[in-house]
Amino acid sequence: KGSAAARKAGAEGASEDDNLEEQLTQAICIFRYLKGTDVFQKFYSKGLARRLVYEQSVSTHGEETMISKLKEVSGVEFITRLARMFNDMIVSKDMSDEFKSKSGVYGEVPFDFDMKVLNLVSWPYSPPDVKLEVPPVLSNVCEQYKRYLDDKHPGRKLSWLWNIARAEIKLFLPNATGPAAKNGYIFQLTTYQLVILLLFSAESGPGTGYGTPAGPTLTYAQLLAATGLGEDIVLGELEIFCKARVLNSSMGLGSDAVSTSATYSLNVDFKSKHLRVNLANMKKSEQKREIKDTMRAVDEDRMFTIQAAIVRIMKSRKQLSHRQLIEETINQIKPFQAQVSNIKKTIDQLIDKEYLERDANSRDLYNYLA
């Protein structure tokens, strides 16, 4: 009986793998017809990064299979960064396990702490341009990990990506009922949301009313100064908190109550059907901004690619007519269809940078300047 169940489970697993393989093969068939594979690469790398960092991949084998298929179609260079991202995950897990095993050396960690160390050259992320005021309970552990990393890899620079980090915090509310009264609510938060919410559960701080059953009340200005975050970020996070009724605003209920002139307090009467409350999902405005930023990055990369192709061609040929240079540039660039207008613009830029010059006897000729 047990053997029959095992055979059935094995057959179902094999069937799922076959279905996944078929779906990936179909996706690659569509990929072969794409004219702008560089756009696909940018968006795919962002999606893969999110799945790896937040551990949301349905199948690691499926991810690796897809990258292998992309390599077959587009070559090693196309998937180099994607492969390095996988390697960073493996190394990060080993380092995280080692750090936890050395708590006697670097100090005790009072909460579950999972660190992922990313080589920024391979990832579609960059450190935020905000100076976050990290709460001591978190900054102490970060300092411990930094000491560990300095010992293991002296000279490496560590930058904290607070903008993509996530946290879970258990909150016990005085007026909670049912299972929440005993077990509390678990809030899944961005780091920025965590820093804001901790101000309302602290024993002291910039607000008023600490030590009362309702907790402290903070003004917008106090939240801004205490977190170190920008105005847009604080207002955006307050909107999420107020819309979810986690925080109360002196201006009323819901996201419309968010204002720079309002005061905010913890909603001790918060109720939810779920003990786990996820507030860290990306907002629609952030999704639109990410798409816009990704397309801007694609356009910048394309201009660099065109520039490199023209320099490479002219270094080899020394002199070419305008028409020949346009044609050879288009033929040499494979990931996308280079537009003639962009090629002309790049030629003018290279003339300004003194990589090229127009021939003195013919304005239709370009000479390469060594």
Side-chain angles (χ1 to χ4, degrees):
K1 188 173 181 180
S3 177
R7 285 198 300 271
K8 181 179 179 182
E12 290 176 351
S15 177
E16 290 178 1
D17 289 342
D18 291 341
N19 289 337
L20 179 61
E21 180 74 22
E22 183 180 350
Q23 290 173 354
L24 295 179
T25 300
Q26 292 173 351
I28 289 296
C29 287
I30 297 174
F31 174 79
R32 291 177 185 274
Y33 290 96
L34 294 180
K35 293 183 179 180
T37 56
D38 57 331
V39 178
F40 172 89
Q41 185 188 43
K42 282 287 186 187
F43 280 96
Y44 188 84
S45 66
K46 279 188 173 291
L48 177 63
R50 189 177 295 112
R51 293 192 297 275
L52 292 178
V53 168
Y54 301 137
E55 299 178 0
Q56 295 174 340
S57 290
V58 175
S59 167
T60 301
H61 172 69
E63 299 279 14
E64 293 173 340
T65 301
M66 183 63 178
I67 291 176
S68 178
K69 289 180 179 295
L70 289 171
K71 179 181 176 181
E72 292 175 7
V73 176
S74 300
V76 175
E77 186 177 352
F78 188 86
I79 58 91
T80 298
R81 289 187 176 183
L82 304 180
R84 286 175 180 169
M85 287 160 65
F86 269 98
N87 185 63
D88 282 352
M89 290 294 98
I90 295 171
V91 174
S92 290
K93 185 181 184 308
D94 292 341
M95 290 173 63
S96 183
D97 291 343
E98 185 180 43
F99 171 70
K100 292 174 184 176
S101 70
K102 294 186 175 182
S103 59
V105 178
Y106 300 101
E108 294 293 333
V109 178
F111 49 82
D112 290 336
F113 181 74
D114 181 33
M115 172 63 66
K116 293 179 173 65
V117 181
L118 315 179
N119 182 348
L120 285 183
V121 174
S122 305
W123 292 77
Y125 297 131
S126 58
D129 55 355
V130 297
K131 187 172 177 55
L132 181 68
E133 294 293 335
V134 185
V137 66
L138 180 57
S139 62
N140 291 340
V141 176
C142 291
E143 184 57 34
Q144 292 172 26
Y145 191 86
K146 185 178 184 302
R147 291 202 309 271
Y148 158 75
L149 193 66
D150 288 341
D151 290 343
K152 189 174 183 66
H153 299 291
R156 286 194 181 181
K157 181 183 177 182
L158 187 65
S159 300
W160 298 98
L161 299 177
W162 301 120
N163 51 324
I164 65 169
R166 294 291 184 267
E168 287 190 355
I169 183 173
K170 180 175 284 190
L171 204 59
F172 291 89
L173 299 171
N175 295 343
T177 58
K182 179 181 178 181
N183 301 315
Y185 288 106
I186 296 177
F187 288 93
Q188 296 170 291
L189 309 167
T190 67
T191 308
Y192 297 158
Q193 291 170 347
L194 174 69
V195 171
I196 291 173
L197 194 57
L198 285 177
L199 292 173
F200 292 93
S201 60
E203 295 180 357
S204 63
T208 58
Y210 290 94
T212 64
T217 297
L218 289 94
T219 66
Y220 167 77
Q222 288 170 335
L223 289 169
L224 202 65
T227 60
L229 296 170
E231 293 186 5
D232 290 344
I233 295 176
V234 172
L235 287 173
E237 303 300 2
L238 286 175
E239 182 178 338
I240 292 175
F241 280 130
C242 290
K243 187 175 182 179
R245 305 293 175 85
V246 176
L247 294 182
N248 289 327
S249 167
S250 60
M251 304 291 286
L253 298 175
S255 58
D256 294 337
V258 174
S259 167
T260 57
S261 59
T263 59
Y264 302 90
S265 59
L266 190 65
N267 180 13
V268 294
D269 296 316
F270 174 82
K271 296 288 188 297
S272 174
K273 296 179 181 179
H274 308 286
L275 293 181
R276 299 181 70 89
V277 182
N278 186 1
L279 300 180
N281 287 334
M282 187 180 292
K283 299 186 286 289
K284 287 186 177 180
S285 59
E286 290 178 343
Q287 292 174 338
K288 291 179 180 178
R289 184 170 66 249
E290 182 177 282
I291 292 172
K292 187 177 180 180
D293 291 344
T294 302
M295 289 307 302
R296 186 186 301 113
V298 168
D299 291 339
E300 290 174 356
D301 288 349
R302 286 185 171 185
M303 295 304 289
F304 285 128
T305 300
I306 294 172
Q307 190 175 96
I310 292 173
V311 170
R312 194 163 50 244
I313 292 167
M314 291 301 298
K315 188 175 182 179
S316 172
R317 301 293 295 275
K318 305 303 180 187
Q319 186 182 74
L320 279 177
S321 69
H322 180 77
R323 180 181 59 81
Q324 289 174 315
L325 181 55
I326 295 287
E327 290 177 353
E328 291 201 24
T329 301
I330 291 174
N331 291 334
Q332 193 169 116
I333 296 174
K334 301 301 180 185
F336 61 93
Q337 180 69 47
Q339 300 298 313
V340 174
S341 59
N342 288 336
I343 298 175
K344 289 180 178 179
K345 182 179 178 180
T346 305
I347 290 173
D348 291 337
Q349 291 174 346
L350 290 173
I351 290 174
D352 292 338
K353 294 179 180 179
E354 299 184 350
Y355 282 92
L356 308 178
E357 68 173 2
R358 296 185 188 276
D359 190 81
N361 300 317
S362 175
R363 301 291 292 173
D364 191 49
L365 287 175
Y366 299 110
N367 297 320
Y368 177 72
L369 300 177

